[in-house]
Amino acid sequence: MYKASSRSCALLAQAPTGIGKTVGSLFPMLKASAEHGLDKVFFLAAKTSGRQLALDACATIKRHAGALPLRVLELSAKTSACEHPDKACHGDSCPLARGFYDRLPAARAAALRADILDKASVRDVALAHQVCPYYLAAELARWADVVVGDYNYYFDISAMLYSLTVANDWKVNVLVDEAHNMVSRARKMYSAELRHAALKALRKGAPEALKKPLARLGRQWTQLEKAQQELPNPEYRVYDAIPEKFLDALQGASGAIGDYFAEHPRAVDAELQRFYFDALLFTRLSESFGEHSLFDASKEAGGTLLCIRNIIPAPFLKQRFGACRSSALFSATLSPWNYYSDTLGMPGDTAWVDVDSPFDAGQLAVRVVGAISTRYQHRAASLAPIVALMARQYAEQPGNYLAFFSSFDYMEQVAALFAERHPDVPLWRQERRMDEAGRAQFLARFRADGRGIGFAVLGGSFGEGIDLPSARLIGAFIATLGLPQINPVNEQIRQRMAAVFGAGYDYTYLYPGIQKVVQAAGRVIRSESDRGVVYLIDDRFARPEVRRLLPAWWHVALDG
């Protein structure tokens, strides 16, 4: 990390889970701040838990560094920071926006008395001075040494931290935690969707000033649908270009909506506002449409879903990487490095580091179960063998286990059969659309003195970012390669990846799938004293091209 700042280059760092990457990245970047003349360090995380780890790490560093003059700020999403979501975001509607700049100096002075400004602290100060917490935090970014936030604050199309960096000519270093999430997250940042059903609903109760522009847009949309209906596969279509007449109508409608909001500042119509913002993003992305994205139409209830779907974020992210002195992306799963470098558009001099694991291969028994196929057409036949395997391991070594599957349906089938055949073994399942309380309850079942098996979906809430050390988790069963579903959209992505990088299947299916497998397996060994077992259940895990993507410190053995 320190050398990357010294050389002013980008870094991809792969390091095992559980070794302290957060504090291990922040400390050298803070050491580099004075020597390399940095104005800010941005720590960007994919989840709230990652932001909290960064705040804790900064507090630890500050506590052990004596009188270190370090101010740390947490940025949260506008939706979660807003105190009045039912009001428009201006002084004529929201009381916290009215007179904001009059009360800002006092609020800012009060906030800057603290060193660690997390979300709760900023909110307390903001409400004490009757200003908006979200915009107070945005203002405080100018006075913070370390800013902790989500990826979108620097990499999004309208990213605040990126804009401030460019406008103020700041010299910054950017840290990206759990960077294996960056490809999927960046794709979403540079994609836009519009639903015909939403437009139809707006037209029913639209103000008089908007009826004509919305009707014109509706006619153009209907023409697209009629043309699609005549195709052999009317459910899904990919266009070579975005039709100009549709774009003209969309721009006219969004302009009319913008004028309406300007003339009626007190009007609060959440659905109209949402469609307006979606339309603005859609038109903005249409201006840079190219081989990095697809324009497609999917049939759904109420009409079609139109999407500018980003496939390769690289063209958009290059300027983000270019604006910082150095950037460091780190995760336990960044292999192969060229996949991330290619798709994210990282600089040509990007360095690659694969950090040796402090864990010993003897701590983790990795067993490939080659006699079972988890392919869709073989799933019915796989249920009984998987249940028998799990029961055998549990009988040999009772304790806490996690079992991962490719879908809720598959998970529920195995769980039902296991409960029927082994009713004495406690089990609990991840629920569909689980809320935060439900997730906490699921994890609470993994007690150091407990026993049982938690059933979950690979790539979901429990496949990464959770810490169950020692006896809280002694093993995992992973009954899937984690490959994304084969569908028309992913097949289009595969074709585009093949055309641009010459690696369609690997970039679309294999690499993202194995990344989820390794993340899930990483829940088992969290410290140098942990011991555990991981079963990789599918014959394809025995293939050389798959084995090469597994961590080098694993000792993998065949189990049937």
Side-chain angles (χ1 to χ4, degrees), residues 40 73 75 100-101 104-105 107-108 112 132-144 160 164 170:
K40 314 277 180 187
L73 170 69
L75 296 176
F100 174 83
Y101 289 102
L104 175 61
R108 183 174 58 218
L112 295 180
C132 172
Y134 175 77
Y135 285 105
L136 175 60
E139 179 70 17
L140 292 173
R142 303 172 186 272
W143 280 268
M160 181 186 75
L164 286 172
W170 285 343

Side-chain angles (χ1 to χ4, degrees), residues 143-177:
W143 280 268
D145 304 300
V146 177
V147 182
V148 178
D150 188 88
Y151 295 164
N152 66 288
Y153 274 104
Y154 188 79
F155 290 105
D156 198 286
I157 193 169
S158 55
M160 181 186 75
L161 291 179
Y162 171 73
S163 299
L164 286 172
T165 298
V166 173
N168 295 286
D169 197 25
W170 285 343
K171 188 180 291 187
V172 303
N173 280 358
V174 177
L175 297 170
V176 182
D177 187 25

Side-chain angles (χ1 to χ4, degrees), residues 265-298:
R266 293 183 181 274
V268 179
D269 185 331
E271 296 303 318
L272 181 61
Q273 189 178 71
R274 185 176 299 112
F275 186 84
Y276 175 58
F277 288 141
D278 290 344
L280 289 180
L281 178 60
F282 199 97
T283 54
R284 184 173 177 182
L285 288 174
S286 70
E287 297 170 0
S288 56
F289 183 74
E291 69 171 0
H292 50 72
S293 299
L294 301 171
F295 173 57
D296 58 26
S298 306

Side-chain angles (χ1 to χ4, degrees), residues 217-510:
L217 176 59
R219 288 193 297 272
Q220 292 298 324
W221 208 321
T222 300
Q223 288 183 18
L224 288 179
E225 291 178 340
K226 287 180 179 178
Q228 185 168 337
Q229 196 62 35
E230 298 172 359
L231 298 174
N233 177 21
E235 301 296 318
Y236 180 75
R237 179 184 179 182
V238 175
Y239 292 78
D240 293 331
I242 306 172
E244 288 187 13
K245 289 184 178 179
F246 174 81
L247 271 181
D248 288 343
L250 182 63
Q251 289 169 345
S254 59
I257 297 172
D259 292 341
Y260 175 80
F261 281 135
E263 294 168 5
H264 302 83
R266 293 183 181 274
V268 179
D269 185 331
E271 296 303 318
L272 181 61
Q273 189 178 71
R274 185 176 299 112
F275 186 84
Y276 175 58
F277 288 141
D278 290 344
L280 289 180
L281 178 60
F282 199 97
T283 54
R284 184 173 177 182
L285 288 174
S286 70
E287 297 170 0
S288 56
F289 183 74
E291 69 171 0
H292 50 72
S293 299
L294 301 171
F295 173 57
D296 58 26
S298 306
K299 192 174 180 180
E300 62 176 18
T304 53
L305 168 68
L306 300 181
C307 184
I308 297 178
R309 192 183 306 276
N310 180 249
I311 305 301
I312 305 169
F316 299 105
L317 301 188
K318 281 181 179 178
Q319 58 184 342
R320 267 56 176 173
F321 289 116
C324 56
R325 175 185 172 88
S326 74
S327 55
L329 283 65
F330 52 97
S331 168
T333 48
L334 287 180
S335 290
W337 67 270
N338 57 291
Y339 166 71
Y340 294 93
S341 181
D342 288 345
T343 53
L344 296 177
M346 300 190 71
D349 62 349
T350 297
W352 162 249
V353 174
D354 193 355
V355 179
D356 290 337
S357 173
F359 308 133
D360 185 88
Q363 292 180 250
L364 182 67
V366 182
R367 300 170 184 171
V368 170
V369 184
I372 299 176
S373 167
T374 63
R375 297 171 182 85
Y376 184 79
Q377 62 269 32
H378 301 148
R379 284 184 188 169
S382 73
L383 302 181
I386 291 175
V387 166
L389 168 70
M390 294 171 63
R392 185 193 74 197
Q393 172 61 32
Y394 187 89
E396 291 176 359
Q397 190 177 8
N400 292 314
Y401 293 84
L402 266 170
F404 293 99
F405 300 87
S406 55
S407 68
F408 278 100
D409 288 342
Y410 194 18
M411 177 198 79
E412 288 164 357
Q413 290 175 39
V414 177
L417 185 60
F418 191 96
E420 175 187 325
R421 296 190 177 181
H422 305 279
D424 56 317
V425 179
L427 63 85
W428 51 99
R429 313 178 197 189
Q430 177 182 354
E431 302 292 338
R432 300 172 192 259
R433 293 174 291 278
M434 216 170 197
D435 60 18
E436 189 171 339
R439 292 193 292 270
Q441 188 176 11
F442 182 94
L443 293 174
R445 296 286 299 268
F446 292 90
R447 301 187 310 272
D449 60 347
R451 293 181 179 182
I453 302 175
F455 285 74
V457 173
L458 190 70
S461 304
F462 308 109
E464 62 177 270
I466 63 169
D467 195 20
L468 300 170
S470 190
R472 291 188 66 193
L473 185 68
I474 65 168
F477 307 93
I478 304 176
T480 171
L481 245 68
L483 305 182
Q485 183 183 19
I486 295 178
N487 57 37
V489 172
N490 283 335
E491 281 300 285
Q492 288 293 327
I493 295 175
R494 180 185 62 78
Q495 293 176 27
R496 186 62 54 86
M497 290 297 196
V500 177
F501 302 117
Y505 177 80
D506 289 348
Y507 275 35
T508 306
Y509 295 105
L510 183 59

